[in-house]
């Protein structure tokens, strides 16, 4: 046994040496690395474990071979994404060494540093559709075809707009490509309880969490390895099927674009494709620049795969109580393969007309919300009986991450024009407008969430869509998207370095019934409690499902009149527990043996180690 190693154990001196001596962690860097090595040679290979609140590691443990103890090993480290402006925090990384020369509990060592934050961004596309960009700019415009919500070499998110209500367009299909892995949620066929499907194999470590509840407002969650989370909320009833989108963007992406704009855009402008910047207000030019070309449209089977620069950079680590290898990690669940959807929509191959359909100013006793302006794109001069048949087959190039090329064949899709359903734009009604305003303001007053997430864009979108449709169906869907965003945000906060932030997040989740907490008022016995709050039974709404929607004034499309007991609310699907949901993919193994040049030898028990140390101490005294 190494005498110097035993001596360091007796004197409790640090076993590890770090480089640099103090870590300066900058979120603006794509990846930060520190190094460590053993100061003295051990008798056998040793394993080093790490943990730090608010930080993530390439792996949670690393093996240092005994014969290479003096060579530095590199440890990738990142900060957990934050979504508020913060100057910086001191950080402490704790390390423990599993060595036969010293008891595990006596090897704890601290490595200190400082983290400088870079704020992440949140972008939403909800309703018909209302966009809120990463920099907080709200814009509403209906269109047709696919748009880049987020466009980057390693991460691409596209949303295809289709008719969701007569005269109204929404997100009918959303695709997410991370590296070479492509996921699609397509509800244009108006089937119930649609699941996310995989258009290509998941080779890049994306974790899919399926909805816990069946019915409208099904929350699908895709978590990228480096912290970015995309939430897709599938909303449907007998009349409408569409998807609300929330993108929680961590740092690490440069040169990105899309309808979500940028977190800190140049001169506070809108960033158009081609690196062109326009003033806010020039929304048509901005949005049109991010239309998706057919040759890169995911829905058409056209992908531009890439290999993400780092796919194992988001391991939240804790020091194990004892140095025992973790249980074997089961393989991630298989996501069903994507089946192209056959649609029967009106062909949009002619010129379009843009018109303003709603303009409302919302005023309350405490808040004045800006004017809500919604514009819609309406196709004109469509010939009756026109049939457009699109057949697309594509073969993707071989990927560097796989030895086998990916082949994607898109089935024939027929697009047939037909007469528009009979639909009447609800006329102005002061009583309904007043009720809508109050209802929407209460809907986004979730205790605690309203302090973390600006509610004004959601209230505006809620009022706009309720006035456009004459009912509250889309309002309830927005509530679920809002609470799902709060659930994700507080999940990030629970990993923060500041105890006060962790405590606040835990309290908010408890107050709002998020995660595994009990829902507000147990959903009043009129809904089902899920990870994202209450999903209400048909005819009920609100944060706790206590609002009787049948008793509220709304517009009946059958009678063309305002009144109560609108039959549209009975078309809402009843929520049920999704017992068939796939289990969330387990995280990758904590790096056991990945950096080792040899196998880890047997580990002495604590009693054995203490006996050895006692003998060494005696020998040292004698010497």
């Amino acid at each position: 046994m190494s005498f110097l190693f035993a001596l360091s154990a007796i004197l409790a001196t640090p076993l590890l040496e770090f480089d640099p001596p103090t870590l300066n962690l900058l979120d603006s860097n794509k990846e930060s690395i520190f190094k460590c090595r053993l100061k003295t040679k051990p008798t056998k290979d040793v394993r080093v474990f790490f943990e730090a609140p608010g930080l993530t590691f390439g792996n949670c443990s690393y093996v240092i071979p005994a014969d290479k103890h003096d060579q530095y090993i590199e440890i990738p480290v990142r900060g957990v994404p934050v979504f508020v402006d913060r100057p910086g925090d001191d950080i402490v990384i704790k390390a423990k060494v599993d060595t036969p020369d010293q008891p595990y509990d006596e090897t704890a060592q601290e490595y200190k540093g400082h983290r400088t934050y870079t704020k992440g961004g949140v972008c939403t596309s909800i309703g018909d559709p209302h966009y809120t960009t990463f920099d907080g700019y709200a814009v509403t415009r209906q269109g047709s075809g696919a748009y880049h919500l987020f466009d980057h070499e390693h991460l691409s998110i596209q949303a295809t707009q289709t008719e969701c209500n007569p005269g109204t367009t929404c997100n009918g299909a959303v695709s997410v490509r991370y590296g070479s892995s492509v996921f699609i949620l397509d509800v244009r066929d108006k089937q119930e309880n649609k699941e996310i499907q995989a258009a290509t194999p998941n080779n890049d470590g994306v974790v899919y969490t399926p909805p816990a509840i069946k019915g409208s407002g099904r929350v699908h969650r895709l978590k990228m390895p480096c912290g970015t989370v995309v939430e897709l909320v599938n909303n449907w009833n007998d009349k409408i099927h569409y998807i609300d989108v929330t993108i929680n963007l961590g740092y690490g992406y440069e040169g990105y674009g899309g309808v979500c704009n940028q977190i800190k855009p140049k001169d506070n402008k809108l960033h158009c494709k081609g690196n062109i910047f326009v003033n806010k207000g020039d929304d048509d030019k901005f949005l049109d620049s991010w239309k998706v070309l057919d040759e890169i449209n995911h829905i058409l089977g056209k992908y531009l795969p890439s290999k993400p620069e780092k796919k194992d950079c988001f391991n939240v680590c804790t020091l194990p109580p004892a140095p025992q290898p973790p249980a074997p990690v089961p393989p991630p669940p298989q996501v069903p393969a994507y089946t192209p959807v056959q649609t029967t929509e009106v062909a949009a191959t002619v010129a379009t007309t843009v018109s303003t359909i709603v303009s409302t100013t919302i005023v309350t006793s405490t808040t004045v919300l800006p004017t809500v302006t919604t514009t819609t794109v309406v196709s004109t001069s469509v010939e009756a009986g026109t049939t457009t048949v699109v057949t697309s087959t594509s073969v993707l190039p071989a990927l560097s991450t796989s030895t086998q090329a990916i082949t994607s064949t898109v089935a024939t899709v027929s697009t047939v024009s037909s007469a528009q359903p009979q639909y009447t734009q609800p006329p102005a009604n002061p009583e309904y407008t007043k009720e809508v305003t109050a209802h929407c303001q209460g809907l986004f007053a979730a205790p605690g969430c309203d302090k973390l997430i600006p509610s004004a864009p959601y209230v505006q979108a809620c009022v706009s869509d309720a006035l456009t449709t004459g009912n509250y169906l889309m309002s309830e869907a927005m509530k679920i998207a809002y609470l799902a965003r709060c659930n994700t945000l507080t999940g990030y906060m629970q990993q923060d370095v500041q105890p006060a932030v962790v405590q606040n997040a835990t309290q908010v989740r408890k107050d709002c019934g998020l995660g595994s907490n009990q829902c507000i008022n147990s959903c009043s016995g009129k809904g089902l409690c899920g990870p994202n709050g209450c999903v209400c039974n048909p005819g009920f709404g609100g944060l706790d499902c206590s609002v009787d929607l049948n008793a509220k004034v709304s517009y009946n499309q059958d009678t063309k009149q305002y009144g109560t007991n609108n039959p549209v609310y009975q078309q809402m699907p009843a929520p049920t527990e999704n017992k068939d949901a796939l289990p969330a993919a387990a995280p990758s193994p904590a790096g056991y043996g990945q950096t080792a040049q040899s196998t880890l030898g047997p580990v002495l028990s604590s009693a054995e180690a203490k006996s050895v140390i006692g003998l060494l101490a005696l020998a040292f005294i004698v010497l």
Side-chain angles (χ1 to χ4, degrees):
M1 182 178 294
S2 167
F3 177 76
L4 291 177
F5 202 98
L7 179 61
S8 68
I10 296 168
L11 301 178
T13 56
L15 302 179
L16 297 172
E17 181 179 5
F18 294 97
D19 181 41
T22 301
L23 179 63
N24 183 23
L25 182 61
L26 302 176
D27 283 359
S28 57
N29 291 345
K30 290 184 179 180
E31 181 181 53
S32 294
I33 292 176
F34 68 88
K35 302 177 182 179
C36 77
R37 65 182 179 184
L38 290 170
K39 287 187 173 184
T40 54
K41 185 177 181 179
T43 57
K44 295 182 179 180
D45 297 348
V46 302
R47 190 186 306 280
V48 185
F49 298 86
F50 295 97
E51 77 168 17
L55 302 185
T56 63
F57 299 86
N59 291 304
C60 293
S61 71
Y62 291 82
V63 172
I64 302 179
D67 59 347
K68 297 183 179 180
H69 73 281
D70 56 346
Q71 298 181 16
Y72 280 110
I73 60 172
E74 294 186 342
I75 316 295
V77 61
R78 285 176 179 252
V80 174
V82 298
F83 295 91
V84 294
D85 288 314
R86 290 166 62 173
D89 278 313
D90 291 334
I91 54 177
V92 177
I93 297 174
K94 294 183 179 180
K96 279 189 176 184
V97 180
D98 175 22
T99 168
D101 304 298
Q102 186 172 349
Y104 176 72
D105 289 340
E106 296 178 12
T107 65
Q109 191 170 336
E110 292 186 348
Y111 176 44
K112 297 182 179 181
H114 186 83
R115 177 184 176 187
T116 302
Y117 293 102
T118 295
K119 178 184 176 182
V122 179
C123 172
T124 59
S125 175
I126 58 177
D128 63 350
H130 310 273
Y131 302 101
T132 301
T133 63
F134 288 133
D135 58 326
Y137 182 63
V139 56
T140 297
R141 196 192 75 165
Q142 298 179 36
S144 62
Y147 291 82
H148 291 284
L149 295 183
F150 187 83
D151 186 29
H152 186 268
E153 177 186 1
H154 302 311
L155 176 63
S156 174
I157 304 172
Q158 300 175 0
T160 299
Q161 291 190 29
T162 54
E163 187 180 66
C164 59
N165 236 359
T168 305
T169 61
C170 306
N171 297 321
V174 177
S175 60
V176 178
R177 178 189 61 78
Y178 180 73
S180 64
S181 305
V182 181
F183 303 88
I184 297 176
L185 179 60
D186 195 339
V187 301
R188 294 174 298 165
D189 55 356
K190 303 186 183 302
Q191 292 184 12
E192 300 178 359
N193 294 311
K194 286 296 289 288
E195 299 283 356
I196 279 185
Q197 298 175 326
T200 64
N202 181 9
N203 295 322
D204 300 287
V206 178
V207 177
Y208 168 47
T209 303
I213 294 178
K214 288 186 177 181
S216 187
R218 291 160 50 81
V219 180
H220 303 260
R221 194 170 184 265
L222 291 170
K223 180 180 178 182
M224 314 306 137
C226 294
T228 293
V229 173
V230 179
E231 296 152 0
L232 306 179
V233 183
N234 177 10
N235 307 299
W236 59 274
N237 54 50
D238 288 353
K239 297 292 184 184
I240 58 176
H241 291 247
Y242 68 98
I243 304 167
D244 287 331
V245 185
T246 301
I247 303 171
N248 304 276
L249 183 71
Y251 50 87
Y253 297 96
E254 295 180 357
Y256 62 86
V259 174
C260 288
N261 206 27
Q262 297 179 329
I263 297 174
K264 293 183 178 180
K266 179 181 178 182
D267 299 327
N268 197 32
K269 292 187 175 184
L270 297 174
H271 177 212
C272 301
K273 191 173 182 62
N275 207 30
I276 299 172
F277 292 85
V278 298
N279 292 324
K280 291 181 176 177
D282 198 354
D283 302 335
D284 289 344
K285 184 174 182 179
F286 167 63
L287 291 167
D288 288 341
S289 77
W290 292 112
K291 290 274 287 188
V292 177
L293 301 176
D294 286 349
E295 52 263 34
I296 54 173
N297 191 325
H298 301 162
I299 301 297
L300 299 179
K302 307 290 187 177
Y303 324 120
L304 294 175
S306 70
K307 183 178 180 180
E309 296 176 3
K310 194 68 178 175
K311 75 172 188 177
D312 60 346
C313 56
F314 199 75
N315 291 298
V316 177
C317 302
T318 57
L319 292 175
Q324 298 177 355
V329 177
Q334 295 295 317
V335 179
Y338 174 57
T339 302
V341 168
Q342 293 188 352
T343 60
T344 54
E345 302 166 12
V346 177
T349 58
V350 294
T352 59
T353 303
V354 179
S355 61
T356 300
I357 61 174
V358 175
S359 182
T360 306
T361 301
I362 309 168
V363 182
T364 71
S365 58
T366 58
T367 307
V368 179
L369 302 177
T371 300
V372 181
T373 302
T374 304
T375 59
T376 181
V377 178
V378 183
S379 297
T380 59
S381 305
V382 179
E383 297 180 4
T386 301
T387 301
T388 304
V389 179
V390 181
T391 303
S392 175
T393 302
S394 64
V395 179
L396 301 184
L399 306 181
S400 58
T401 56
S402 174
T403 57
Q404 182 178 5
I406 297 175
T407 303
S408 175
T409 302
V410 177
T412 300
V413 179
S414 297
T415 305
V416 183
S417 67
S418 59
Q420 289 282 357
Q422 293 299 313
Y423 177 81
T424 303
Q425 178 69 40
N429 182 293
E431 180 183 358
Y432 177 61
T433 300
K434 182 179 179 180
E435 280 196 8
V436 164
T437 303
H439 178 78
C440 290
Q441 289 170 339
L443 200 59
F444 301 102
C449 290
D450 56 349
K451 303 295 191 300
L452 300 174
I453 301 172
S455 60
Y458 289 90
V459 174
Q460 293 172 0
C462 176
V463 171
S464 174
D465 288 355
L467 294 179
T468 301
T469 61
N471 60 63
Y472 294 100
L473 291 181
M474 300 181 83
S475 306
E476 283 298 302
M478 290 180 190
K479 173 198 74 175
I480 295 175
Y482 178 78
L483 291 175
R485 175 179 172 184
C486 188
N487 187 20
T488 297
L489 175 59
T490 52
Y492 284 119
M493 293 170 60
Q494 286 187 316
Q495 302 168 14
D496 201 90
V497 65
Q498 296 186 8
V501 174
V502 177
Q503 183 178 0
N504 182 33
T506 302
Q507 188 63 46
V508 169
R509 291 167 76 88
K510 182 178 179 180
D511 292 343
C512 294
L514 303 177
S516 60
N517 291 287
Q518 178 63 42
C519 284
I520 301 174
N521 297 330
S522 298
C523 300
S524 306
K526 299 178 175 65
L528 196 59
C529 182
N532 305 293
C534 292
V535 181
C536 302
N537 293 335
F540 294 92
L543 287 172
D544 61 354
C545 300
S546 62
V547 178
D548 185 356
L549 298 178
N550 295 293
K552 299 179 76 67
V553 172
S554 60
Y555 187 74
N556 190 324
Q557 283 289 340
D558 297 329
T559 64
K560 309 301 181 186
Q561 293 180 346
Y562 282 96
T564 57
N565 296 312
N566 194 330
V568 72
Y569 298 124
Q570 299 310 315
Q571 299 164 359
M572 298 168 59
T576 58
E577 183 181 354
N578 186 14
K579 296 181 179 180
D580 299 327
L582 296 170
S588 300
Y592 278 78
Q594 290 185 8
T595 59
Q597 302 298 319
S598 60
T599 350
L600 183 67
V603 179
L604 294 178
S605 69
S606 178
E608 292 171 330
K610 288 183 179 179
S611 298
V612 172
I613 290 175
L615 293 173
L616 287 170
L618 181 60
F620 177 69
I621 293 173
V622 173
L623 290 173

